[in-house]
Amino acid sequence: MTYLETAAQFYSEVAQTPEVGLCCVQSTPLQLPGLSIPLAMQEMNYGCGTTVHTNELANEPTVLYVGVGGGLEALQFAYFSRRPGAIIAIEPVAEMREAAQRNLEIAAQENPWFDPSFVEIRSGDAFNLPVDDAAIDIVAQNCLFNIFEPKDLTIALQAAYRVLKPGGRLQMSDPIATRPIPLHLQQDQRLRAMCLSGALTYQEYTQLIINAGFGQIEIRARRPYRLLDKQTYNLAENLLLESLDSVAFKVQIPEDGACIFTGKTAIYAGAKPFFDDNAGHILQRGIPAAVCDKTAAKLATIKPTEIMVTDSTWYYDGGGCC
């Protein structure tokens, strides 16, 4: 079988017999007033972080969710878009589609505000999304794209870019590797399906997003995910995997390169009330200003004795400039 066929078989199995904690660090699902998450959904929480960023879900956006899993995040998105067909969930595995539909029916019993028609589950895959061009406000996926080999990940990212409206957002949560994963693990199809051996490094992962055309990336969270220990995985030394939550925007890539926000700030400490670099960045003396990594590097070289650039916090949710 190909690695994609192995993954499909694997997720068919865990759709029929849920495996709690399969590939994720267990955490309490997002708590919202009046939202009840069915136990069956929690047991099938096969993600590694979250793609549901509540401060960006005003005006009932249309969401395309790729890889529905147990339906947990589809339900969470529906909380903010309470209309038929607002959430379109794409899932290639029949057993997973059936399980998610059952879970959504249970959710309707536990949540008076929810109607299963809010979530439309369609057969399809990440490479050929059955959606028109520029029709979607948000594309989301949780712990799916890391399974793909780089050439297939490129196709999936291009497909997401195609269906997004201008200014639309690709919201993802995936494992990344702190150093390249050895070939013998990459070739283990079972481990890849379990989200343990397909992860790219941060630099590789973000570059593929940029290559697909996304002009701005914001890192919402970066945290430890799993440790591949040297004894179990035949490694020279332990290898840490991290979980990365990101939002990529379908905006034009600036001439000087895409903007990636990782929580850095620039602080002017000179004698004047403010500093203007004449490129759109004005720093008030003593007040941190959120900037993208590209701008942070430039400002640090302009006045190294007067401008302090803080380290990445690996958390950013708006308010800065490129």
Side-chain angles (χ1 to χ4, degrees), residues 131-178:
V131 178
D132 292 337
D133 294 358
I136 301 296
D137 297 300
I138 297 170
V139 174
Q141 69 81 24
N142 195 329
C143 214
L144 169 65
F145 282 17
N146 78 98
I147 293 174
F148 300 150
E149 294 181 350
K151 61 181 177 60
D152 290 330
L153 175 54
T154 295
I155 296 171
L157 291 169
Q158 291 171 340
Y161 188 91
R162 174 186 67 80
V163 303
L164 280 171
K165 297 175 182 178
R169 304 185 294 278
L170 173 60
Q171 303 186 177
M172 304 195 291
S173 182
D174 275 310
I176 57 171
T178 50

Side-chain angles (χ1 to χ4, degrees), residues 237-270:
E237 55 182 317
N238 296 335
L239 197 165
L240 177 65
L241 302 183
E242 297 176 321
S243 173
L244 189 78
D245 293 356
S246 66
V247 179
F249 292 78
K250 185 177 179 176
V251 296
Q252 186 174 355
I253 299 176
E255 291 184 3
D256 60 349
C259 298
I260 303 180
F261 288 86
T262 63
K264 289 186 176 181
T265 67
I267 309 171
Y268 174 60

Side-chain angles (χ1 to χ4, degrees), residues 36-43 72 75 103-104 106-108 110-111:
S36 174
I37 305 293
L39 179 60
M41 279 187 177
Q42 297 184 45
E43 291 178 343
L72 187 151
L75 175 64
N103 291 344
L104 291 170
I106 297 171
E110 298 184 8
N111 295 273

